[in-house]
Amino acid sequence: MEANFFRCLAPRLGETLAGRRIDRIFNPAPGVWTFKARSGAGSYLVFRASKKGGLLFISKEKPANPPQPTAICMWMRKRLEGRRLLDAFIDWQQRSIAWELSPGEGRYLLLNVEKEPALVDELPATFGDEAPWPDPQRVLTDRDVWREHPQISPALRRTIGALPEARAAAMIGALERGGCGRFFVYPKGENTRGGEALVWRLPDPLHAGREEQAFDDVLTAADLWGRTELFPELARLAVAGELDRIKAQRRKLKRSLKKLDAEEDRMRGFVAKAEEGQLLQGWLYMFDKDEKRSYVDLPDATGEDVRIQMDPRRTVRENMDRFFKLAAKGRRGLGFAVERRKALEGELQALDGTSAAVQEGKQAPRATGEREVRGRLQGLQVAAFRTSDGFTVYRGKSAKGNHEILSRLASPFDLWFHAANGPGAHAVLKRDYPDQDVPDSSLAEAAALAGLKSHYGSAGKAEVMCALVKYVRKTKGAALGQVAVDRVEHTLHVDLDPSLQDDLFVC
């Protein structure tokens, strides 16, 4: 993050988050942190520590997260969650901001865009000290000028090098005075290593061929730049993590199948004991009922002697009964093994399909078990469904349930469905992260679920709106469940088959 952009951003971050409480902390990837702050505009403070790609922005959308928190994330949660961010202290030239915290371990939360977050009791003695601005000529000629003047960033040196001397001097003078009027975002392109967020417009030689977006608000600029730079990367990591999870699950299923092979061999050995039991039964009259032996040699149907190994602690009759019981156990075990093999091979086939979909860039949804879904819906007037592609869909059972979906179950990047031109239930399709692809089949099924519980219910067809949850807002003073939609992504026309509800119903 460029230092002069940080100079404008940090005070806005400080005032926006002042008094907010940290509800939750996530560590989506090495060096990437998400701090969920209660209430206010924007819920997530997103931070990436990197010398060349540091990011800091407030977003309404939570980045994708791994299934399990890291050890350092758990350490930070224990010490930070529930505490409030108070006054902010800024060292913009070093691209650092520190919030004083409500009482607890560590007085300050220190964020430096080059380093991991830190909890410290004292800030460095030089924190906030500003180096003077150098002469423009030195900026152009001294490659090490940034060592004494950290505000002279590589982006600034490149820009000044492309300007006439008079314009370069004027630009440095404006930056020295701390101008924070307009903000320019240049997303990463095919011929650039990364995007940039700046407080100046790039001159023509540097601007050529690059997309430019201008903003009056630094928070909006930082949010767009941060999401553009970070969220696709986290989505790729989520795909890689999903592939690793699939590989591990596949190995586990293969081990289970191998164990099942051994168990089936053992059960077949039990079934074979029936022949020994029948042979003993045919010659039982020859033995004393209380006689105990380690083995017996008996002729089979061909006249050949067969040695039958027995438990010397049991009588001959008890050994015979035991052989029949083992045979019955083996037959039951083989029956169970057939069902178990069918289930394991089905899971393996499903994993192979999921792996292929992930590798094609169609990230599958993270599996949510029925027990977990039931736990989330406990006490709520909401039904849960699972699409044919594995996405969870929540649908309100009443006006209260419609309200509960948006207020308690939905994330800003989830997809909301509602019948067009009339009353109906809210349906929300859950996604794991903002850029997750949803197949058309799941979109159609979610739309149909919304249409079936609407004024189209008996019509056979329905027109259904689809929007991102972040564009659906509860209207102040309106009845429970009534909303306003700021932007509809698209409208779907779907057939309504009542059996779909039974087929997809979870709980």
Side-chain angles (χ1 to χ4, degrees), residues 320-385:
M320 179 191 71
D321 292 340
R322 177 170 170 268
F323 290 156
F324 287 134
K325 288 179 180 178
L326 285 174
K329 179 180 179 180
R331 287 190 289 272
R332 291 195 303 273
L334 287 174
F336 292 142
V338 168
E339 294 301 317
R340 177 62 175 157
R341 182 176 295 279
K342 183 178 178 181
L344 290 173
E345 289 177 346
E347 289 184 45
L348 195 59
Q349 185 177 4
L351 278 178
D352 290 341
T354 301
S355 177
V358 171
Q359 289 172 346
E360 290 173 6
K362 298 177 180 178
Q363 167 72 344
R366 187 173 296 126
T368 305
E370 182 177 339
R371 184 175 179 180
E372 183 180 351
V373 171
R374 288 185 183 276
R376 290 179 183 175
L377 299 189
Q378 189 172 6
L380 304 183
Q381 295 183 21
V382 176
F385 303 85

Side-chain angles (χ1 to χ4, degrees), residues 22-305:
I22 299 175
D23 282 347
R24 201 67 169 160
I25 300 172
F26 306 93
N27 184 202
V32 180
W33 292 83
T34 306
F35 301 89
K36 182 181 179 183
R38 174 168 294 187
S39 72
S43 299
Y44 301 97
L45 175 66
V46 185
F47 171 72
R48 180 173 72 182
S50 172
K51 286 189 175 181
K52 294 184 178 180
L55 294 169
L56 186 60
F57 60 99
I58 296 175
S59 176
K60 292 182 180 180
E61 299 178 3
K62 181 176 73 173
N65 285 298
Q68 298 296 327
T70 60
I72 185 63
C73 181
M74 295 299 293
W75 187 91
M76 291 290 280
R77 284 180 177 180
K78 183 177 180 180
R79 288 156 178 81
L80 268 181
E81 286 182 358
R83 299 175 71 182
R84 292 189 181 276
L85 300 171
L86 304 177
D87 293 334
F89 300 86
I90 299 165
D91 188 345
W92 70 268
Q93 291 186 341
Q94 299 299 329
R95 298 178 296 169
S96 296
I97 182 171
W99 278 276
E100 189 172 4
L101 299 165
S102 56
E105 183 178 341
R107 183 178 175 184
Y108 300 95
L109 170 62
L110 176 60
L111 301 182
N112 179 294
V113 296
E114 294 187 1
K115 303 175 183 177
E116 294 281 353
L119 280 176
V120 298
D121 292 319
E122 297 292 338
L123 297 176
T126 58
F127 193 88
D129 290 353
E130 295 189 16
W133 285 78
D135 181 87
Q137 190 60 34
R138 185 181 175 192
V139 174
L140 294 173
T141 57
D142 185 357
R143 295 181 60 86
D144 293 324
V145 66
W146 59 271
R147 297 185 185 278
E148 295 179 38
H149 307 277
Q151 69 271 43
I152 307 302
S153 63
L156 179 56
R157 291 189 77 243
R158 286 196 301 271
T159 301
I160 289 177
L163 294 175
E165 186 174 340
R167 283 189 61 191
M171 180 177 175
I172 289 180
L175 292 175
E176 184 175 359
R177 293 189 295 273
C180 292
R182 294 276 282 170
F183 307 94
F184 302 89
V185 174
Y186 299 90
K188 180 167 55 177
E190 295 183 2
N191 300 319
T192 56
R193 288 180 296 176
E196 294 180 292
L198 307 170
V199 295
W200 61 83
R201 173 176 273 117
L202 289 176
D204 289 340
L206 301 178
H207 185 193
R210 298 191 66 178
E211 179 187 350
E212 177 187 274
Q213 297 189 51
F215 300 88
D216 294 323
D217 177 47
V218 67
L219 292 179
T220 305
D223 179 31
L224 173 72
W225 179 49
R227 285 188 291 109
T228 302
E229 288 283 310
L230 183 59
F231 281 19
E233 177 185 334
L234 294 180
R236 286 192 295 272
L237 290 174
V239 168
E242 183 68 6
L243 286 173
D244 288 342
R245 185 196 68 79
I246 290 171
K247 289 178 182 177
Q249 187 66 17
R250 203 174 189 281
R251 289 194 296 268
K252 184 178 178 181
L253 288 172
K254 287 287 191 181
R255 288 196 298 269
S256 296
L257 284 169
K258 190 173 182 179
K259 289 180 181 178
L260 187 60
D261 290 339
E263 182 65 10
E264 285 179 326
D265 288 342
R266 192 168 77 96
M267 291 298 107
R268 281 190 282 268
F270 285 170
V271 171
K273 290 293 182 182
E275 295 180 6
E276 296 182 351
Q278 290 169 354
L279 193 57
L280 270 177
Q281 190 178 45
W283 295 95
L284 191 61
Y285 68 91
M286 294 181 55
F287 300 98
D288 184 298
K289 66 177 182 179
D290 296 322
E291 187 176 358
K292 298 179 179 179
R293 292 192 178 192
S294 299
Y295 66 90
V296 294
D297 293 320
L298 297 173
D300 62 11
T302 64
E304 295 289 332
D305 280 349

